[in-house]
Amino acid sequence: MSVLPHKRKSPFGEPPAGYVPGLGRGAAGFTTRSDIGNMAKSEEGDTPEVGGSRSAEARAAKLAAQKKQGGGPSQQQGQSGYGENGARPPIEGQFDDNENEDDEADRIWQAIDDRMNAKRKKRSKPHQGAEPPTARVKIGAQFRDLKEQLATVSEEDWLKVPEVGDYSLKYKREQHRRRQDDTFIPLTDSLLESRSKHNLEQTKAGAANMAADGTATSSNIRGLGAARGTVLGMSLDKMSDNVGGQTVVDPKGYLTSLGNTQIASSAQVGDTNKARLLLKSVRDTNPKHGPGWIASARVEEAANKINKARKLIQEGCEICPDQEDVWLEAARLHPPAVGKSILATAVRRIPNSVKLFLRAADAEDSTDAKKAVLRKAIEANPTSITLWKHAIELEEADDAKVLLSVAVERVPQAVDLWLALARLETYDNARRVLNKARRALPSDRSVWIAAAKLEESQHHADLVDKIIDRAFKSLSKYSDDVIVTRAQWLVEAEQAEASGAPLTSAAIVRHSIGQGVEEEDRQRTWAEDAKVTIARGSISTARAILAHALQAFPSKRSLWMQAVELEKQHGTAESLDEILKAASERLPRVELFWLLRAKERWLAKDIDMARDILTQAFAVNPDSEEVWLAAAKLEWETGEIERARVLLQRARERAPSPRVYMKSALLEREEACWEEALALIDQGVKEHPEFAKLYMMAGQICANDLMPHDHTNLGKARKWLQKGLTKCPNNVILWILASRLEEKAHTYASNGDSSKPAPSANVGVTKARSLLELGRLKNPKSEHLWLEAVRLESRAGNIKMAETLMARALQDCPNSGILLAETILTASRVEKKSKSALAIKRCPESPLVICAVASLFASERKNDKARKWLERAVLLDPDQGDSWARYYQFEMQAGTEEQKENIRKRCAKAEPKHGELWQSVRKDMKNKRISDLKALELTVEKLKEQQAVATSSKE
């Protein structure tokens, strides 16, 4: 490294020759020996050799210029003896010592420079004179003359020049690697497959790069094509047979295997390598650990190196010859033929391994070979129940009997073998086998249950209960060793029922149902057991539980009702009649069971039997309103009107309830005997003045049925309704009927009196509005009155008033489902969603609200959501007929025939009784005695008419 300071480049470029910084302003300063350097003269003249800084070079240039002008600085100093700057000239001998020191310093620095130049091997042109002895001569310079002579060598001489050998270490390594590469090693299938995967990855990477920068080399494509052809050829060669070279590859299977080929990513390869290292350390640390060898083989198998996996597992078999899992893994990894030999070796090494024998039997193709393997296995392991079972499964019935007879002698504790032998034997032999099994296994309940099933199969019902009774007594002796809980016995009963032995199931229930149950908890516990078994589908077991419970509690109405419901849903008509008959005999004062039995007989078209049942009910309950009305309805529905009238007259004498008067008046109304009906109503009102339905019926007869529709009949209807409002001011329906009557008053004729003008519709609306307001004062927070007021204003065309009333109604009844549903149905399309969200938030369990939301989804063609919400509505309240009507209307528009039929069946089964539209259809006198299905269709028609009116009013 040079000791001279680094010269920085000036931003203004190189300075001109003779430039001295600051000279123009008198800032030249002192000039010392160190500034001007060695003043030795050069060969050309007096110009000194200058070295050092830029200022020293400038001063040296200044001195040279002065010499040229006047012969040096000493001649310009003048006579005064002072220089230009006022400095005295140097005296001779003053700087001699200093010059010696400077010379010594210059020599030292020169030596340092030489040393540094030698170290850096500075290249310089050779001097013209003799070179210093320390200079190093290059090899190229030494053979320069020989190189110049090479120009005269001819081509023949060049060819005769021998090759110079290379004996360097790098050359030797390269030659060794080439010799290894030239060695022929057959390629394995796994290597070819892994190489094909690698080529596929490279192809994908090249495609990605080409997609990124738009360039790709043709050499890579050619290389990939060649590699693909090579791998494909080797694969086809491998899959060809040895006879004629014809391929035996299934084209479909080959393409499927190519499609299922998975390419390992770099992360998966890294994980595989890590797993290899870990498992290698496991094998080295504990070579006798079989799972380590199995895991190592499976890692190689996952990496598609099946040969390496086989080598590893073979090594594991040699190191761990007593572990059956290692042998099983080796058999799995090898081809079937090799696997058989491996399993043969394994069973010789481990003759007590049942798994190895079973795997060896499965590896055989023919049944005879499997039998032979299993027989050898049984010889080596005569007490193995698993081997006996597998061997018996391969035999025919006769041979199986022989094997089972030997097996139960060798393994007497195997209850399954005893039971299997008993199933194969005849009845007498099966009894002997089960007796032997009971002696061999006195504490096993399965043998006793099998004996009971055997007797039941032979229709020996009396022996079934005896055997189960003996079983409980025998097992009680071993209660210290074997504990059978009540729940376990119930499970055995359900299993017996599932196997086709209901008598055995009932016997087990009778003997075990009371175990561990407190006296006061028996009814509740048994009722719950019956519900649980019904939910699991064990009907006979549940029937037996309820029968036992009814024997213990014969006067419990809830248990009888549970039994009736069981027979109604899962039994037959005969079984239902039997349970109802038993209930009627046990509880004769309960009219319900008499009525249910009579109804079932009537539905079965057995009218005489139904009359006999009701006659028996009369004898026990002479003053029962329900029985009298049921008897009258039976005659009424069968067309025996006179008999029905007689029964109702007797009922009015024996049980003069308001319902009896109402049914009597209804019968006369259906027969168009209006005066008789009004007379009966008048009589009933005198007996029961607070029964509102009589006033309603009288008002409807006068307003709708009596002809002609004039002011006379209108006045009669008003009087009846006014009388009803006076006696029953809290009945909301009376207020609604009175308001509707006033709303329609203008439609009645004026009795031919032209002097009185016909009342206008506005007058009727005003009177109806007044009645509804008065009704709300009498019945505050009545949602039905608010709804009727809103609808009244809507029918009158007062939309703003209707909206105002709806707002007031929601403030008065914020959680009313019927009002919230009305807001959804009458809202505009834009507001429907917000109204629906508010309604669901306030009243999420109302079927009316849910149906209204479903109608919104149906209007938006969201059929799946609409069906889901309608299904929820009918499940919440199956007695709401309007929900069924809306559901059926939706299925008629968007469903299939099967879905429509399903709704019809479910509606008929539910037998709905309530609903605004449903009741209006059912109570219409034109629709008397119609079925529920017909009522469903009529309700849908009425719903369509209502929707059409609402749509036209919006438009």
Side-chain angles (χ1 to χ4, degrees):
M1 176 179 276
S2 175
V3 297
L4 296 178
H6 179 68
K7 295 181 181 180
R8 293 184 299 174
K9 291 184 178 181
S10 173
F12 303 100
E14 294 293 331
Y19 173 76
V20 178
L23 183 61
R25 62 178 185 272
F30 295 98
T31 301
T32 62
R33 185 80 173 179
S34 61
D35 292 330
I36 64 175
N38 189 7
M39 297 301 293
K41 295 181 180 180
S42 62
E43 298 177 359
E44 295 178 356
D46 296 333
T47 304
E49 295 181 1
V50 182
S53 64
R54 186 184 298 170
S55 60
E57 294 176 356
R59 292 185 180 91
K62 180 181 177 183
L63 292 175
Q66 290 176 357
K67 284 184 179 182
K68 289 181 180 180
Q69 293 176 2
S74 60
Q75 296 178 5
Q76 297 179 1
Q77 291 177 359
Q79 300 297 328
S80 63
Y82 290 92
E84 291 180 339
N85 297 328
R88 291 183 63 84
I91 305 172
E92 293 184 11
Q94 181 179 0
F95 298 108
D96 293 341
D97 296 334
N98 293 333
E99 290 180 358
N100 294 332
E101 293 177 0
D102 290 341
D103 293 340
E104 184 178 1
D106 290 340
R107 287 195 300 273
I108 292 172
W109 285 111
Q110 185 63 36
I112 292 173
D113 288 339
D114 295 342
R115 179 60 177 256
M116 296 302 295
N117 291 335
K119 285 185 177 181
R120 283 188 273 105
K121 300 179 180 179
K122 185 177 180 181
R123 295 181 180 179
S124 62
K125 294 182 180 181
H127 296 282
Q128 295 180 0
E131 295 182 356
T134 57
R136 181 176 297 176
V137 181
K138 294 184 178 180
I139 298 177
Q142 294 178 3
F143 295 96
R144 182 174 298 170
D145 54 347
L146 296 177
K147 289 181 180 179
E148 292 176 354
Q149 294 178 9
L150 289 176
T152 60
V153 179
S154 62
E155 185 178 357
E156 296 178 359
D157 295 335
W158 274 112
L159 296 175
K160 293 178 181 180
V161 175
E163 294 290 338
V164 180
D166 189 357
Y167 298 98
S168 62
L169 181 60
K170 180 179 180 181
Y171 175 77
K172 291 180 180 179
R173 289 178 178 175
E174 183 68 20
Q175 290 297 323
H176 180 68
R177 185 183 64 79
R178 290 181 179 178
R179 283 195 296 271
Q180 287 183 346
D181 293 343
D182 293 340
T183 304
F184 175 73
I185 300 176
L187 298 180
T188 61
D189 298 340
S190 61
L191 180 60
L192 292 175
E193 188 173 0
S194 63
R195 192 61 188 170
S196 64
K197 291 182 178 180
H198 177 70
N199 292 336
L200 185 57
E201 287 183 359
Q202 295 295 329
T203 304
K204 289 185 176 181
N209 294 333
M210 184 171 62
D213 54 10
T215 59
T217 58
S218 60
S219 59
N220 290 338
I221 295 175
R222 288 195 298 270
L224 290 173
R228 178 177 175 275
T230 303
V231 173
L232 181 60
M234 297 181 68
S235 300
L236 293 176
D237 292 340
K238 183 179 71 174
M239 288 182 287
S240 62
D241 57 11
N242 297 326
V243 180
Q246 297 179 354
T247 180
V248 293
V249 180
D250 182 13
K252 296 182 180 179
Y254 181 67
L255 293 176
T256 305
S257 64
L258 289 180
N260 295 332
T261 303
Q262 297 181 355
I263 301 172
S265 63
S266 58
Q268 293 174 345
V269 172
D271 294 341
T272 303
N273 293 332
K274 289 180 182 179
R276 287 193 182 107
L277 292 175
L278 290 174
L279 293 173
K280 186 177 184 304
S281 64
V282 171
R283 297 195 308 270
D284 295 342
T285 304
N286 189 6
K288 295 292 185 179
H289 185 62
W293 294 98
I294 296 173
S296 301
R298 289 184 178 176
V299 167
E300 300 300 336
E301 182 186 11
N304 294 322
K305 296 187 176 181
I306 190 66
N307 290 334
K308 190 173 182 180
R310 291 170 180 172
K311 291 180 181 178
L312 280 173
I313 203 65
Q314 286 176 356
E315 187 178 355
C317 293
E318 295 175 358
I319 298 176
C320 307
D322 298 332
Q323 297 193 20
E324 59 183 9
D325 292 336
V326 180
W327 289 102
L328 291 173
E329 185 68 14
R332 186 185 70 83
L333 289 174
H334 284 78
V338 181
K340 290 181 182 179
S341 61
I342 291 174
L343 291 171
T345 306
V347 296
R348 287 195 297 269
R349 293 286 186 92
I350 315 174
N352 296 327
S353 175
V354 176
K355 290 183 180 180
L356 288 174
F357 276 109
L358 292 177
R359 181 68 183 85
D362 292 338
E364 298 295 338
D365 298 329
S366 63
T367 305
D368 294 336
K370 292 184 180 189
K371 292 179 182 179
V373 172
L374 289 174
R375 287 170 184 170
K376 291 182 180 179
I378 291 173
E379 291 176 1
N381 303 277
T383 60
S384 175
I385 300 175
T386 305
L387 290 175
W388 281 107
K389 287 182 178 180
H390 281 78
I392 292 166
E393 288 176 357
L394 296 176
E395 302 292 343
E396 299 294 336
D398 296 336
D399 295 335
K401 287 182 185 179
V402 176
L403 276 179
L404 282 170
S405 60
V406 178
V408 295
E409 294 177 359
R410 296 292 183 90
V411 195
Q413 71 276 10
V415 64
D416 294 339
L417 299 179
W418 286 106
L419 298 179
L421 180 59
R423 283 193 294 268
L424 293 176
E425 293 289 351
T426 60
Y427 170 67
D428 295 332
N429 293 335
R431 293 184 65 183
R432 297 189 189 95
V433 170
L434 290 175
N435 288 331
K436 292 181 182 178
R438 189 170 64 249
R439 289 192 292 269
L441 301 167
S443 61
D444 198 311
R445 61 184 182 274
S446 301
V447 179
W448 292 98
I449 296 174
K453 291 180 181 178
L454 177 64
E455 299 299 336
E456 184 176 357
S457 65
Q458 300 298 318
H459 306 289
H460 300 158
D462 53 340
L463 294 178
V464 173
D465 194 70
K466 291 181 181 179
I467 291 174
I468 296 299
D469 185 31
R470 289 179 57 191
F472 275 85
K473 292 179 180 178
S474 176
L475 292 175
S476 63
K477 300 177 183 178
Y478 303 94
S479 59
D480 296 336
D481 300 331
V482 179
I483 298 176
V484 184
T485 63
R486 175 174 164 277
Q488 290 175 334
W489 279 116
L490 290 179
V491 171
E492 293 289 349
E494 293 182 18
Q495 292 177 355
E497 178 187 352
S499 63
L503 297 179
T504 304
S505 174
I508 294 173
V509 168
R510 283 193 297 270
H511 288 84
S512 65
I513 193 66
Q515 289 184 354
V517 182
E518 297 293 336
E519 188 73 19
E520 59 273 10
D521 296 336
R522 289 187 301 168
Q523 179 187 351
R524 179 182 57 81
T525 304
W526 292 344
E528 190 64 27
D529 290 339
K531 291 180 182 178
V532 172
T533 51
I534 289 173
R536 288 200 291 258
S538 302
I539 307 302
S540 297
T541 306
R543 188 180 287 115
I545 293 173
L546 288 175
H548 183 80
L550 288 172
Q551 288 179 357
F553 304 98
S555 61
K556 293 297 181 180
R557 177 178 173 177
S558 60
L559 290 176
W560 283 108
M561 285 302 301
Q562 193 173 356
V564 169
E565 288 296 327
L566 174 64
E567 299 299 335
K568 201 171 184 180
Q569 295 179 3
H570 304 283
T572 60
E574 291 76 11
S575 63
L576 178 59
D577 186 68
E578 289 177 3
I579 197 70
L580 286 172
K581 181 180 180 181
S584 302
E585 293 174 355
R586 291 283 185 175
L587 301 173
R589 300 294 296 177
V590 179
E591 305 97 333
L592 178 62
F593 298 117
W594 295 104
L595 299 178
L596 286 176
R597 189 183 178 199
K599 182 179 179 181
E600 293 298 328
R601 292 292 91 198
W602 170 52
L603 292 177
K605 307 300 181 181
D606 193 354
I607 308 300
D608 295 334
M609 186 65 183
R611 287 174 180 158
D612 294 339
I613 293 170
L614 290 176
T615 302
Q616 297 175 14
F618 279 132
V620 181
N621 304 284
D623 299 331
S624 174
E625 171 193 333
E626 296 292 338
V627 176
W628 283 106
L629 292 179
K633 184 178 180 181
L634 177 63
E635 303 299 338
W636 191 350
E637 295 291 339
T638 55
E640 299 290 339
I641 304 300
E642 293 300 327
R643 298 182 67 172
R645 282 174 176 163
V646 171
L647 287 172
L648 287 172
Q649 183 179 0
R650 292 180 181 177
R652 289 195 300 273
E653 296 172 357
R654 302 292 299 271
S657 66
R659 289 189 66 223
V660 171
Y661 279 100
M662 184 186 69
K663 292 294 183 181
S664 301
L666 183 60
L667 175 62
E668 300 299 337
R669 184 185 179 188
E670 287 189 1
E671 295 300 321
C673 300
W674 317 119
E675 298 300 332
E676 290 81 356
L678 290 174
L680 287 171
I681 291 173
D682 191 21
Q683 184 181 356
V685 165
K686 291 178 182 179
E687 296 287 338
H688 306 281
E690 295 182 353
F691 189 66
K693 288 187 177 181
L694 291 175
Y695 300 104
M696 296 179 197
M697 187 180 295
Q700 289 173 351
I701 291 174
C702 295
N704 301 328
D705 299 334
L706 290 180
M707 300 300 289
H709 295 300
D710 54 9
H711 282 187
T712 302
N713 293 329
L714 176 62
K716 292 180 181 180
R718 280 174 176 168
K719 287 181 181 180
W720 278 109
L721 292 176
Q722 187 63 36
K723 192 183 298 185
L725 291 174
T726 304
K727 297 293 183 179
C728 309
N730 296 326
N731 190 280
V732 175
I733 306 300
L734 276 174
W735 290 101
I736 293 175
L737 291 177
S739 68
R740 289 179 181 175
L741 180 63
E742 296 298 336
E743 184 184 1
K744 297 179 181 179
H746 67 282
T747 61
Y748 287 84
S750 59
N751 296 332
D753 190 357
S754 59
S755 61
K756 294 182 180 180
S760 64
N762 293 331
V763 175
V765 171
T766 304
K767 289 184 178 181
R769 186 184 298 121
S770 301
L771 281 172
L772 291 174
E773 288 179 357
L774 183 59
R776 292 201 301 273
L777 291 176
K778 299 282 187 180
N779 302 279
K781 297 185 181 299
S782 174
E783 57 184 8
H784 294 283
L785 289 176
W786 279 111
L787 179 61
E788 184 63 26
V790 172
R791 289 178 176 174
L792 174 64
E793 301 299 338
S794 298
R795 290 193 294 267
N798 302 325
I799 304 301
K800 294 294 182 182
M801 181 64 73
E803 294 177 355
T804 304
L805 284 174
M806 180 59 76
R808 291 175 56 193
L810 289 176
Q811 289 178 355
D812 197 24
C813 307
N815 297 324
S816 172
I818 191 171
L819 290 176
L820 292 170
E822 186 71 14
T823 59
I824 298 173
L825 295 174
T826 58
S828 61
R829 186 178 184 85
V830 179
E831 296 178 344
K832 278 185 180 293
K833 288 187 178 180
S834 60
K835 299 290 185 183
S836 300
L838 178 63
I840 290 296
K841 183 179 179 181
R842 290 186 179 181
C843 196
E845 299 299 328
S846 172
L848 299 176
V849 172
I850 294 173
C851 284
V853 176
S855 66
L856 170 62
F857 289 133
S859 65
E860 295 177 351
R861 299 295 187 270
K862 297 179 180 179
N863 295 334
D864 293 336
K865 285 188 176 181
R867 185 176 288 108
K868 180 180 178 182
W869 282 76
L870 288 169
E871 181 69 23
R872 181 184 171 191
V874 298
L875 290 178
L876 280 174
D877 188 6
D879 195 50
Q880 183 66 241
D882 291 356
S883 300
W884 289 106
R886 292 185 182 275
Y887 202 175
Y888 185 62
Q889 181 191 16
F890 169 76
E891 294 297 350
M892 290 176 65
Q893 295 174 355
T896 61
E897 291 294 333
E898 182 180 357
Q899 290 171 332
K900 289 191 291 185
E901 187 62 28
N902 182 32
I903 297 301
R904 289 168 59 88
K905 290 180 180 178
R906 291 174 61 188
C907 179
K909 186 177 181 180
E911 298 180 356
K913 298 291 188 300
H914 297 89
E916 183 180 4
L917 295 176
W918 182 268
Q919 286 185 334
S920 66
V921 171
R922 295 292 299 187
K923 292 184 177 181
D924 193 346
M925 298 309 297
K926 297 181 294 185
N927 301 327
K928 58 182 181 181
R929 298 193 186 95
I930 63 172
S931 63
D932 289 334
L933 296 179
K934 184 63 177 178
L936 178 64
E937 295 176 358
L938 293 176
T939 307
V940 170
E941 294 296 330
K942 195 165 186 178
L943 180 60
K944 290 180 180 179
E945 294 176 2
Q946 191 181 69
Q947 291 172 349
V949 171
T951 304
S952 62
S953 63
K954 287 182 181 180
E955 294 176 353

